[in-house]
Amino acid sequence: MNWKYFKIFEIDPEEVARQITLYEFETFIQLEFTEFLNQSWNKRNRTSQSPNIRKMIERYTKYTNWVCTQILQTEKLEQRIKSVTYFIQLAEHFKKLNNFNSFMATLTSLHSSSVLRLKHTFAQVSEENTQKLESFYQLMSGIGAYKIYREALKSAFLKGQSCIPFIGIHLTDLTFLDESKSDYEQNGEISESKLETMITVISNILKFQTRPYSLITVPQLQDYFKEFPGLNNEQLYEISLQREPIDASIEDLL
């Protein structure tokens, strides 16, 4: 299929969220406990040591570039307002699905340098959707060590819901743990406290693997979301400057 003519904005954002979540979950359930050890996802042999973590990280990047591309390829201001609104709605559906990985990726896209600078675009987004976006940022805020997000994750688990955690936060937890605590106690014995904490962090991620989503797959959309065709950051920023030149007034864009 020629993805150049694929019109994502003509598809219900709820269905898009479902299909992306299904695809994301396929990789998520393949994560192995050992992939999270010794920061192997950042090491030279990361592709072989942490293949599925790397897939999720690389997919996260592709997705964010895709979202930015979809927004910035719209030439007219009115179209861009609708495209930004579309992705706010998409984020809302990810939130409802507890797909925090794609939820955060969407927020990252909307807060990227090439998109966030579109001040005239964001100024025209409805107050309702602006408030929604702000609440989303608060949910994923780093305040209190991501307290609100962690409470949402705990709530999803207690309610028996399907969920895809935002893996980036948990990888940061493991990195901090690995670098701040020694593997051994002063007496030379293995640090049981570090080991127990590490097991807890990893288990809090993997415990959702046994809760698949009860959603129907749409093959055509699944094929598209395997690709996520998009531009790179440099290209995106260049187009952003074309869409809303520096110091451009709202009248210049109408």
Side-chain angles (χ1 to χ4, degrees), residues 191-242:
S191 173
E192 292 187 6
S193 62
K194 179 178 180 178
L195 184 59
E196 289 174 357
T197 303
M198 186 172 294
I199 290 173
T200 298
V201 172
I202 299 173
S203 297
N204 282 336
I205 304 170
L206 302 183
K207 64 186 180 183
F208 288 103
Q209 289 182 321
T210 58
R211 298 180 178 180
Y213 286 88
S214 298
L215 301 171
I216 298 174
T217 298
V218 179
Q220 185 182 30
L221 290 179
Q222 288 291 305
D223 288 342
Y224 177 76
F225 295 133
K226 289 177 182 177
E227 300 296 329
F228 278 137
L231 303 174
N232 61 41
N233 290 331
E234 184 178 340
Q235 293 170 318
L236 290 168
Y237 199 80
E238 182 178 341
I239 295 176
S240 178
L241 290 172
Q242 295 173 12

Side-chain angles (χ1 to χ4, degrees), residues 71-104:
I71 292 172
L72 292 168
Q73 71 180 359
T74 54
E75 297 182 8
K76 296 183 178 179
L77 176 61
E78 184 179 357
Q79 294 174 322
R80 285 198 301 282
I81 296 167
K82 290 180 179 179
S83 64
V84 167
T85 299
Y86 182 93
F87 285 110
I88 293 174
Q89 294 172 346
L90 183 61
E92 183 175 24
H93 289 298
F94 282 137
K95 179 174 175 287
K96 291 177 180 178
L97 289 166
N98 296 320
N99 180 355
F100 293 107
N101 207 59
S102 297
F103 177 68
M104 185 61 171

Side-chain angles (χ1 to χ4, degrees), residues 15 29 34 44 56 80 87 101 115 123 144 150 168 205 228:
E15 189 58 59
I29 59 175
T34 54
R44 181 176 296 179
M56 292 193 73
R80 285 198 301 282
F87 285 110
N101 207 59
V115 172
R150 295 184 198 278
I205 304 170
F228 278 137

Side-chain angles (χ1 to χ4, degrees), residues 119-130:
K119 59 181 181 180
H120 294 301
T121 300
F122 279 94
Q124 300 300 316
V125 173
S126 72
E127 183 178 355
E128 178 185 2
N129 283 300
T130 299

Side-chain angles (χ1 to χ4, degrees), residues 98 151-162 208 211:
N98 296 320
E151 289 177 347
L153 204 66
K154 182 178 179 180
S155 176
F157 181 74
L158 293 176
K159 291 178 181 179
Q161 298 173 339
S162 300
F208 288 103
R211 298 180 178 180

Side-chain angles (χ1 to χ4, degrees), residues 17-150:
R18 289 171 177 169
Q19 297 307 311
I20 291 177
T21 297
L22 282 172
Y23 190 92
E24 189 88 353
F25 193 75
E26 286 183 11
T27 303
F28 175 67
I29 59 175
Q30 295 178 47
L31 292 172
E32 298 285 348
F33 188 94
T34 54
E35 294 187 49
F36 294 91
L37 303 177
N38 303 316
Q39 299 183 56
S40 59
W41 62 89
N42 281 328
K43 301 295 175 61
R44 181 176 296 179
N45 57 351
R46 54 185 175 270
T47 301
S48 59
Q49 295 296 314
S50 300
N52 297 300
I53 289 180
R54 291 307 307 173
K55 283 180 184 177
M56 292 193 73
I57 292 173
E58 290 165 6
R59 182 171 169 78
Y60 188 99
T61 301
K62 287 185 68 174
Y63 173 83
T64 55
N65 286 347
W66 171 75
V67 171
C68 294
T69 300
Q70 294 300 313
I71 292 172
L72 292 168
Q73 71 180 359
T74 54
E75 297 182 8
K76 296 183 178 179
L77 176 61
E78 184 179 357
Q79 294 174 322
R80 285 198 301 282
I81 296 167
K82 290 180 179 179
S83 64
V84 167
T85 299
Y86 182 93
F87 285 110
I88 293 174
Q89 294 172 346
L90 183 61
E92 183 175 24
H93 289 298
F94 282 137
K95 179 174 175 287
K96 291 177 180 178
L97 289 166
N98 296 320
N99 180 355
F100 293 107
N101 207 59
S102 297
F103 177 68
M104 185 61 171
T106 307
L107 299 186
T108 298
S109 305
L110 293 171
H111 208 264
S112 67
S113 58
S114 61
V115 172
L116 189 62
R117 63 171 301 280
L118 302 174
K119 59 181 181 180
H120 294 301
T121 300
F122 279 94
Q124 300 300 316
V125 173
S126 72
E127 183 178 355
E128 178 185 2
N129 283 300
T130 299
Q131 290 177 349
K132 281 183 182 179
L133 183 58
E134 182 58 35
S135 71
F136 296 161
Y137 286 135
Q138 289 177 6
L139 170 58
M140 302 306 292
S141 168
I143 295 175
Y146 296 95
K147 180 181 178 181
I148 301 176
Y149 160 72
R150 295 184 198 278

